[in-house]
C-alpha cells in the first residue's frame, strides 16, 4: 500500500514548514518511528519520524522548499514486493489504496542504528511515557533506564523490566542507582571551557536555519525596544547552603537535581506580582499588562537557543516550579518541545551562570519588556557591618542583570524591580520550600 507523508502541523499558528534535510533517499527502507526528515518553522526545527515501515519511493519536496501544512512531501510503499514493481519516483504514481499520514513531531536523533543511546538525544514513545506516569517515574529517572531499542530507545519491555527490578529495592536506592548527581563545580567549569565548536577556520558555509531565526529575532528586538540595563549583587549563601543539605533527599524523591534556577524563578514571580508593568507587552502605543505570569526559560541547544514558556507560574508553589524548570529544560534539549510552547512568555530568565559567566546583558525576548540575566554563584570576600564593627567574611555572591524596555519602564522602575528581586532571594523562607 502506498502511504502519503504530508507536511505536519506543528502548532496552532504554524501554516508552513521548510524542508531542511532528507535523511533517506528514494529506494531506502524506512522503519516505523525512524527519524528520516528534518523540517524547520519560524519557531523550531524538528525531525519527523515515519509512521509506517516501508520503502521511500517518492520525494516531492526538495531541501529548502517551503511547503504548506497538509501538502504531500513524500510517499512510502509499505509492501516491499510492491515497492520493487513501482514506477520511477518522478512519475508520481498513486494507487487507489493510497492514504495520507500526518507525521508527529519527535526530538532530534541520529536515524542510523546504534547499540548505545546517543548522548543528550533521548526519545520516549507515548506507551513508555504512560507506563512511567502510572508508576510515578519522573523524567530524570526515566532518562537513566538503559534502552534496548533502535538508537538506544527505551522500549515497553525495558521499562516494565526496570519497574520489576525497581520494585525489589527501596525507591531511594533505585533512584540513586540510576540518577547522576550534580557535577562537582570544578568538573562542570572544566567541561564548559573545553572546545566544543564545530566551526572550521577558513570555511564559508550557509547559516543554520535556527541561527537565521535567532539572528532575525535578535535584530528585530534591538530595532524595537530601547534596551536599558541595571545590575546588582545577591547574597546567595543561605540558598547555597540549603541546596547542599537538600540535594540528596531531593534527588532521591524527585529524580532530578535541585538547582538555583527555581529559587530565582520563585523570587521573580513574586517581584512581577509587585511590579506588573514588567509583566507586560507593547503593541504600537498600546500596553497590555498580563494577568498570568508566563516565564520564558532560555535553554542552550545545538545550533542556538530556545525559550520555552512556563505558563501560569503565579499558580505554582516552589516544588511546582522545580518540576516545571526541569521538564522544560530536559524536553527542550531533547528536541521534545512543541512549537506552541515557544510562545506566550511574559518575562524571560536566561542563566549564563551555568557556563561560569559572572554577568551579561541579554537581549529582550519580544514581545516582553524585561529579561533577567543570572550569573554564576561565586565565593567572595564581603564586608559585613555590625554593632561590633566591620568584618570581612566569605559569602556566595551572584550577579544578576535586568534588561528592560525604556519605552515603558524608566531607570527608577528597573532599579526598584531588581532590588526587590534581590530582597526576595536574600530573605526567602527556605523552610517552606520543600
Amino acid at each position: 500500500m502506498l502511504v502519503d507523508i504530508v507536511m505536519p502541523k506543528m502548532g496552532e499558528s504554524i501554516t508552513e514548514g521548510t524542508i531542511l534535510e532528507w535523511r533517506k533517499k528514494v529506494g531506502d527502507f524506512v522503519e516505523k518511528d525512524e527519524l528520516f526528515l528534518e523540517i524547520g518553522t519560524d519557531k523550531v526545527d524538528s525531525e519527523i519520524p515515519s509512521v509506517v515501515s516501508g520503502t521511500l519511493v517518492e520525494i516531492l519536496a526538495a531541501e529548502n522548499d517551503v511547503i504548506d501544512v497538509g501538502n504531500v512531501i513524500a510517499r512510502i510503499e509499505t509492501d516491499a514486493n510492491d515497492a520493487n514493481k513501482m514506477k520511477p519516483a518522478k512519475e508520481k504514481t498513486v494507487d487507489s489504496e493510497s492514504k495520507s499520514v500526518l507525521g508527529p513531531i519527535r526530538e532530534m536523533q541520529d536515524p542510523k542504528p546504534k547499540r548505545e543511546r546517543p548522548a543528550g538525544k533521548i526519545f520516549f514513545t507515548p506507551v513508555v511515557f504512560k507506563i512511567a506516569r502510572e508508576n510515578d517515574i519522573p523524567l530524570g529517572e526515566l532518562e537513566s533506564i538503559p534502552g534496548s531499542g533502535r538508537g538506544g530507545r527505551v522500549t515497553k519491555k525495558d521499562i516494565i523490566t526496570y519497574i520489576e527490578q525497581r520494585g525489589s529495592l527501596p525507591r531511594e536506592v533505585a533512584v540513586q542507582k540510576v540518577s547522576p548527581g550534580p557535577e562537582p563545580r570544578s568538573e562542570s567549569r572544566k567541561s564548559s571551557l573545553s572546545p566544543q565548536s564545530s566551526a572550521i577556520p577558513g570555511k564559508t558555509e550557509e547559516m543554520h536555519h535556527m541561527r537565521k531565526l535567532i539572528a532575525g529575532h535578535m535584530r528585530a528586538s534591538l530595532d524595537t525596544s530601547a534596551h536599558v540595563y541595571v545590575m546588582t549583587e545577591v547574597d546567595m549563601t543561605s540558598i547555597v547552603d540549603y541546596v547542599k543539605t537538600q540535594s540528596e533527599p531531593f534527588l532521591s524523591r524527585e529524580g532530578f537535581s535541585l538547582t538555583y534556577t527555581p529559587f530565582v524563578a520563585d523570587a521573580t514571580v513574586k517581584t512581577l506580582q509587585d511590579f506588573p508593568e514588567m509583566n507586560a507587552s507593547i503593541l504600537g502605543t498600546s500596553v497590555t499588562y498580563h494577568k498570568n505570569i508566563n516565564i520564558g526559560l532560555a535553554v542552550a541547544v545545538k545550533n542556538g537557543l530556545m525559550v520555552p514558556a512556563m505558563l501560569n507560574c503565579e499558580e505554582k508553589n516552589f516544588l511546582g516550579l522545580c518540576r516545571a524548570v526541569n521538564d522544560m529544560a530536559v524536553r527542550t534539549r531533547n528536541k521534545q518541545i512543541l512549537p506552541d510552547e515557544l510562545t506566550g512568555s511574559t518575562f524571560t530568565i536566561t542563566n549564563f551562570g551555568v557556563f561560569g559567566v559572572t554577568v551579561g546583558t541579554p537581549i529582550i525576548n519580544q514581545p516582553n519588556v524585561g529579561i533577567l540575566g543570572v550569573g554564576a554563584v561565586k565565593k567572595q570576600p564581603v564586608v559585613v557591618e555590625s554593632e561590633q564593627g566591620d568584618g570581612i567574611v566569605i559569602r556566595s555572591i551572584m550577579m544578576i542583570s535586568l534588561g528592560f524596555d525604556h519605552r515603558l519602564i524608566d531607570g527608577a522602575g528597573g532599579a526598584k524591580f531588581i532590588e526587590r528581586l534581590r530582597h526576595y532571594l536574600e530573605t526567602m523562607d527556605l523552610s517552606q520550600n520543600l
Side-chain angles (χ1 to χ4, degrees):
M1 181 174 63
L2 194 64
V3 176
D4 287 348
I5 305 299
V6 304
M7 176 62 73
K9 185 174 180 61
M10 298 181 295
E12 292 301 322
S13 61
I14 306 299
T15 60
E16 62 184 19
T18 301
I19 304 294
L20 298 182
E21 180 183 2
W22 287 100
R23 300 296 176 85
K24 295 287 185 178
K25 61 181 183 293
V26 172
D28 287 349
F29 185 81
V30 183
E31 290 194 7
K32 183 177 180 180
D33 291 332
E34 183 177 359
L35 302 173
F36 73 121
L37 167 66
E38 182 181 355
I39 62 176
T41 69
D42 61 347
K43 292 183 175 65
V44 66
D45 296 347
S46 302
E47 285 196 350
I48 307 302
S50 175
V51 293
V52 295
S53 295
T55 301
L56 182 61
V57 296
E58 194 169 15
I59 292 179
L60 303 177
E63 293 182 1
N64 297 319
D65 282 356
V66 179
I67 308 297
D68 289 338
V69 168
N71 285 1
V72 179
I73 56 178
R75 292 190 173 97
I76 293 177
E77 175 55 58
T78 59
D79 189 318
N81 294 326
D82 290 346
N84 294 329
K85 301 176 183 178
M86 290 288 297
K87 294 181 179 181
K90 292 184 180 179
E91 295 186 21
K92 303 181 181 179
T93 302
V94 185
D95 65 24
S96 59
E97 294 181 343
S98 172
K99 69 177 181 179
S100 177
V101 175
L102 178 64
I105 306 167
R106 295 293 185 268
E107 87 298 346
M108 307 285 279
Q109 180 175 321
D110 191 340
K112 296 180 180 179
K114 292 185 179 180
R115 291 300 231 177
E116 298 180 358
R117 178 183 303 171
K121 299 181 178 181
I122 306 172
F123 167 73
F124 301 109
T125 65
V127 173
V128 171
F129 266 128
K130 180 180 179 182
I131 295 174
R133 185 169 57 252
E134 292 174 347
N135 289 272
D136 194 27
I137 298 178
L139 186 58
E141 184 178 351
L142 181 60
E143 290 179 327
S144 302
I145 300 176
S148 62
R150 186 179 183 85
R153 183 173 301 170
V154 176
T155 65
K156 179 180 179 181
K157 182 178 179 181
D158 292 331
I159 191 170
I160 291 176
T161 301
Y162 171 77
I163 291 171
E164 292 174 350
Q165 296 175 346
R166 175 176 179 256
S168 64
L169 297 172
R171 173 166 171 75
E172 292 78 7
V173 176
V175 174
Q176 290 175 2
K177 182 177 179 181
V178 299
S179 299
E183 286 186 316
R185 179 181 173 83
S186 59
E187 290 297 321
S188 178
R189 290 289 299 278
K190 182 179 179 181
S191 175
S192 67
L193 294 175
S194 61
Q196 297 178 344
S197 175
S198 60
I200 302 175
K203 179 182 179 181
T204 300
E205 63 181 6
E206 183 70 11
M207 209 181 256
H208 188 274
H209 181 261
M210 182 179 290
R211 198 75 256 166
K212 292 178 183 178
L213 295 177
I214 293 173
H217 293 327
M218 296 300 96
R219 185 66 261 172
S221 182
L222 289 174
D223 291 341
T224 300
S225 297
H227 284 65
V228 180
Y229 296 91
V230 290
M231 307 170 191
T232 193
E233 293 181 340
V234 180
D235 188 342
M236 294 284 287
T237 305
S238 297
I239 292 176
V240 169
D241 292 341
Y242 181 81
V243 171
K244 287 180 180 178
T245 60
Q246 295 296 321
S247 59
E248 289 189 8
F250 183 89
L251 177 61
S252 298
R253 184 173 63 253
E254 295 296 324
F256 59 90
S257 298
L258 179 62
T259 67
Y260 302 137
T261 303
F263 296 90
V264 175
D266 185 60
T268 299
V269 170
K270 291 182 174 66
T271 310
L272 288 170
Q273 289 174 322
D274 293 344
F275 296 89
E277 61 270 22
M278 195 69 75
N279 193 53
S281 58
I282 301 176
L283 179 61
T285 57
S286 298
V287 181
T288 299
Y289 301 100
H290 300 289
K291 178 180 179 180
N292 299 114
I293 297 176
N294 303 332
I295 300 293
L297 188 66
V299 181
V301 297
K302 183 180 179 181
N303 297 315
L305 186 76
M306 300 175 73
V307 187
M310 300 186 297
L311 304 182
N312 305 327
C313 291
E314 76 282 358
E315 299 176 357
K316 294 178 172 63
N317 59 17
F318 180 76
L319 184 57
L321 287 173
C322 288
R323 291 170 176 169
V325 167
N326 179 73
D327 174 66
M328 283 295 178
V330 170
R331 289 197 296 115
T332 300
R333 294 191 183 105
N334 291 340
K335 299 297 180 181
Q336 295 169 332
I337 208 74
L338 300 177
D340 286 344
E341 294 180 284
L342 298 174
T343 61
S345 68
T346 59
F347 186 86
T348 302
I349 297 175
T350 179
N351 186 358
F352 33 73
V354 296
F355 302 106
V357 175
T358 302
V359 67
T361 54
I363 297 175
I364 295 172
N365 180 33
Q366 296 297 323
N368 301 170
V369 297
I371 184 170
L372 181 70
V374 181
V377 177
K378 299 180 179 181
K379 289 185 178 181
Q380 296 181 18
V382 176
V383 176
V384 177
E385 299 178 357
S386 67
E387 295 180 356
Q388 291 74 32
D390 296 344
I392 298 178
V393 298
I394 302 298
R395 307 291 286 178
S396 296
I397 302 298
M398 178 179 73
M399 286 286 293
I400 56 175
S401 56
L402 175 69
F404 56 93
D405 193 338
H406 210 337
R407 294 179 302 164
L408 178 64
I409 301 164
D410 293 326
K416 291 177 181 178
F417 183 93
I418 199 170
E419 275 300 294
R420 183 67 59 83
L421 179 57
R422 178 193 62 78
H423 170 76
Y424 280 134
L425 282 169
E426 293 183 348
T427 63
M428 187 175 291
D429 184 0
L430 299 175
S431 64
Q432 302 297 318
N433 282 338
L434 299 176

